[in-house]
Amino acid sequence: MFKLGVQIYSVRNEYAADPLSCFKQMKAFGYDGAELFGSIKTHPAEQLKAWLAEAGLEICGYHTQVAEIREDIDAVIAYNRTLGNRFVIVPAPAGPMSTAAEWHAFSRELNGYKNTFAAAGFRFGFHSHRNEVLPVDDGSLPWDIVAADTDDDFILQIDMGNTLSGGVRPEELYKKYASRGITVHYKPYSLETGFDAVIGTDDIDWNGIIAVTKSVPACEWAIVEHEKGVLSDVAKCAEALRKMI
């Protein structure tokens, strides 16, 4: 059975002000773990690990920019080893890409990093945004390119809300690559109000999404991300999901 995590970007203001207090709030909301984001230079890994332990949260991933991995992959590996994190996810490309050739080159680069992380005992992958489901110059979808150019142990961290924002039903795309969704993002999205929404009152078939997650033994974490960063809405998402799960 998968666990329920929260991407700390969802509560970025609270996290910046007081990480420990933020972690404790997430635990009180009903989350089992936290997925972190940002530079590894912001907080010492030992300190973050201690704060998470005090709050009673597991670490369920770290969103690390590809530029930081390019700069010093060994430092990223060492940091996550100290933190006790198993999942390193690149949240986005370093810049805009509009051609299939660019996406193929980037995907092959990511797969190379995956091999390095795997050799060190980590799982590595890529997170989807709206652009990943918008056709490029040859008509293909970048998300399909990434899937085709990476190995089966490469995590495809689909974001449900980002997918719908690009005009693609996340329920269908998730099913297509569900076996590679070791961690996935449960982000609400409304066709009327966009990312100003909460899980359960938006336009995503969450019962269908949850059914897919439950049917795939490989999925370890369903991670809530709220794009608007509204604390009360992050709490509402957890409350709604606990009733559905």
Side-chain angles (χ1 to χ4, degrees), residues 8 24 41 44 47 70 81 94 98 124 137 140 150 194 242:
I8 294 300
K24 289 181 176 179
K41 300 172 184 176
Q47 182 64 78
R70 288 170 176 166
R81 180 174 288 118
S98 60
F124 182 81
D137 59 339
S140 61
T150 55
R242 287 299 180 191

Side-chain angles (χ1 to χ4, degrees), residues 66 70 92-107 109-110 126 131-132 134-137 142 145-146:
V66 68
R70 288 170 176 166
M97 296 192 296
S98 60
T99 69
E102 290 174 305
W103 275 102
H104 281 296
F106 180 61
S107 300
E109 178 186 4
L110 290 180
F126 183 62
N131 285 341
E132 277 71 74
L134 297 179
V136 289
D137 59 339
I145 293 175
V146 175

Side-chain angles (χ1 to χ4, degrees), residues 57-243:
L57 288 176
E58 297 181 53
I59 175 76
C60 61
Y62 205 117
H63 273 200
T64 303
Q65 297 293 336
V66 68
E68 198 159 29
I69 295 172
R70 288 170 176 166
E71 178 184 349
D72 193 343
I73 192 171
D74 292 334
V76 174
I77 288 173
Y79 185 91
N80 282 280
R81 180 174 288 118
T82 299
L83 184 58
N85 174 48
R86 295 171 48 224
F87 308 104
V88 178
I89 307 294
V90 170
M97 296 192 296
S98 60
T99 69
E102 290 174 305
W103 275 102
H104 281 296
F106 180 61
S107 300
R108 289 191 290 267
E109 178 186 4
L110 290 180
N111 202 57
Y113 296 145
K114 185 273 301 179
N115 291 332
T116 302
F117 276 98
F122 297 90
R123 298 300 303 268
F124 182 81
F126 183 62
H127 174 80
S128 72
H129 281 87
R130 180 175 184 268
N131 285 341
E132 277 71 74
V133 295
L134 297 179
V136 289
D137 59 339
D138 67 351
S140 61
L141 298 186
W143 197 239
D144 290 328
I145 293 175
V146 175
D149 287 351
T150 55
D151 298 330
D152 288 344
D153 60 343
F154 184 96
I155 296 175
L156 295 176
Q157 191 187 67
I158 184 173
D159 183 299
M160 309 306 169
N162 288 345
T163 301
L164 186 55
S165 76
V168 173
R169 292 304 310 184
E171 303 87 357
E172 296 305 314
L173 191 61
Y174 183 24
K175 286 179 185 178
K176 185 175 181 180
Y177 299 116
S179 64
R180 297 176 64 181
I182 311 305
T183 69
V184 297
H185 269 217
Y186 279 16
K187 180 184 291 178
Y189 186 81
S190 166
L191 296 175
E192 292 185 4
T193 60
F195 292 112
D196 187 7
V198 296
I199 288 174
T201 61
D202 60 339
D203 288 297
I204 294 175
D205 175 11
W206 288 109
N207 288 319
I209 293 291
I210 291 167
V212 175
T213 303
K214 285 182 175 180
S215 71
V216 183
C219 186
E220 296 189 32
W221 288 94
I223 301 168
V224 169
E225 183 179 6
H226 195 278
E227 192 72 27
K228 301 292 286 188
V230 179
L231 185 65
S232 60
D233 285 350
V234 176
K236 291 175 183 176
C237 286
E239 182 180 4
L241 283 171
R242 287 299 180 191
K243 293 177 182 178

